[in-house]
Amino acid sequence: MFFFPLLLCSFCRCLSLGFSLIVDRIFYGEWVVVQWNFLRFNVIQNLGSFYGSHSWHWYFTQGFPVIMGTHLPFFIHGCLLVPKKNRILLIAVLWTIIVYSFISHKEFRFIYPAMPICMVFCGYSLANLKIWKKRAVSFLFLSNVCLVLYTGLIHQRGTLDVMQYAQKLCTDTLLEKEEPSLFFLMPCHSTPFYSYVHCPIKMHFLECPPDLSGNNTYIDEADLFFKEPLTWLNIRFSAQASLPTHLVIFNVLEQNIEPFLRTKSYIKVATFFHTHVPEGRTGSHIHVFERKMNG
């Protein structure tokens, strides 16, 4: 009885792995085992920690509770009610969280695939509620609608709004004007790029590729910049001709580079709200500065 499900699972694993190998062979042009590359990069070499690391219990104490949100108490209640035949789903959720807990670099998105399975347990919880069912459903609906509206329309919207500005800047450029160019002096990958703008405008951002050479003293470009932003700018843009027409920054950086902005004739031309909860290098607003040519 136990042998058949095990055989079926093994067959499905082999089929999935074979399909993955074929697809990767077509697109990479060579045989690549991406599953092994992921394991080697994130676990064996631990290069993912370059982008930040968390304690082993982060998914259990912060990651999973955050992505479940107001569904969490219903998920726990459903785990106590679910029939034994469906507890394999709970094992799948726990397996996912435990495996990713071995990786030092952790993100919410890594465990998102477990959420649809978790909703099964929430469903069992709601189905077995009698007196509080309507109130519970109303609570889930209202709480999630409010979160969706805030996070989808307000929170951290500045990085999208500024890219719309860049797109408009590209399409509205007049022939007699200097061809626009933007430099994003922001934490790595703060904004979308050409996939959002869809316009051949010159854009650059601070890079932060991981070190693959084993150099213990390696510091990426973004960290070098934020360590001494004014010095970095004066060295990078020592030649007047190399200056971009626009600089994009978070408001927390403005005071640090104000002498550079003043001497290079940059003036603030746009401000975009970003978040109510600024943190570290990420400010509450995004500022766009344009270089004004003399005469």
Side-chain angles (χ1 to χ4, degrees):
M1 194 70 180
F2 177 75
F3 178 74
F4 178 74
L6 183 62
L7 184 62
L8 182 61
C9 289
S10 299
F11 172 76
C12 291
R13 290 193 190 101
C14 293
L15 186 64
S16 300
L17 180 59
F19 182 74
S20 174
L21 288 172
I22 293 172
V23 170
D24 291 330
R25 177 68 176 82
I26 294 173
F27 284 93
Y28 284 108
E30 58 182 352
W31 292 107
V32 177
V33 184
V34 294
Q35 294 83 357
W36 162 248
N37 289 343
F38 177 87
L39 182 67
R40 182 179 60 182
F41 185 91
N42 290 285
V43 180
I44 299 176
Q45 297 178 332
N46 195 30
L47 292 176
S49 60
F50 178 80
Y51 297 103
S53 59
H54 299 81
S55 56
W56 65 268
H57 57 77
W58 187 83
Y59 280 126
F60 291 96
T61 57
Q62 297 183 54
F64 186 73
V66 167
I67 68 168
M68 289 301 295
T70 53
H71 286 85
L72 184 61
F74 300 97
F75 169 77
I76 297 173
H77 183 226
C79 290
L80 303 175
L81 301 175
V82 70
K84 289 185 177 180
K85 65 177 182 179
N86 290 332
R87 287 183 181 174
I88 186 66
L89 299 176
L90 180 59
I91 295 176
V93 173
L94 290 174
W95 172 260
T96 301
I97 297 175
I98 290 172
V99 168
Y100 277 111
S101 294
F102 283 100
I103 302 174
S104 59
H105 178 64
K106 299 175 175 65
E107 295 186 29
F108 296 114
R109 60 189 177 97
F110 291 170
I111 58 174
Y112 278 157
M115 284 192 67
I117 302 177
C118 295
M119 294 300 109
V120 174
F121 297 94
C122 295
Y124 272 108
S125 174
L126 293 173
N128 285 274
L129 290 178
K130 296 179 180 179
I131 300 176
W132 298 94
K133 181 181 293 187
K134 290 185 178 179
R135 295 182 181 180
V137 172
S138 299
F139 166 73
L140 286 174
F141 175 78
L142 291 175
S143 61
N144 282 277
V145 164
C146 291
L147 285 173
V148 166
L149 291 176
Y150 178 74
T151 57
L153 300 177
I154 301 175
H155 182 59
Q156 293 185 348
R157 64 169 296 160
T159 50
L160 295 179
D161 290 340
V162 74
M163 298 313 289
Q164 292 181 2
Y165 178 88
Q167 186 181 52
K168 189 174 185 298
L169 185 69
C170 180
T171 56
D172 292 351
T173 300
L174 299 178
L175 295 177
E176 62 269 16
K177 282 190 175 182
E178 180 182 0
E179 183 181 358
S181 58
L182 289 86
F183 202 117
F184 294 84
L185 300 174
M186 309 167 79
C188 240
H189 310 302
S190 293
T191 66
F193 218 52
Y194 288 109
S195 61
Y196 190 95
V197 175
H198 297 292
C199 191
I201 187 174
K202 293 181 180 178
M203 298 191 298
H204 302 276
F205 63 90
L206 298 172
E207 297 185 1
C208 56
D211 174 50
L212 302 178
S213 63
N215 182 6
N216 294 328
T217 61
Y218 171 77
I219 303 177
D220 64 68
E221 184 181 41
D223 283 340
L224 283 173
F225 167 76
F226 283 105
K227 187 177 181 179
E228 294 185 25
L230 189 59
T231 302
W232 188 94
L233 285 171
N234 288 327
I235 295 174
R236 175 64 181 268
F237 300 114
S238 56
Q240 187 78 10
S242 66
L243 287 169
T245 61
H246 294 76
L247 295 176
V248 184
I249 66 171
F250 280 114
N251 60 310
V252 292
L253 182 65
E254 182 176 356
Q255 186 175 357
N256 294 331
I257 64 171
E258 192 275 335
F260 177 85
L261 297 173
R262 185 180 65 254
T263 56
K264 301 299 183 182
S265 302
Y266 282 98
I267 65 170
K268 189 186 304 181
V269 292
T271 299
F272 302 96
F273 169 79
H274 184 61
T275 178
H276 290 111
V277 283
E279 181 183 7
R281 298 171 179 176
T282 302
S284 60
H285 291 74
I286 294 176
H287 294 167
V288 180
F289 289 84
E290 181 179 358
R291 181 167 58 93
K292 296 299 182 181
M293 302 297 293
N294 295 330

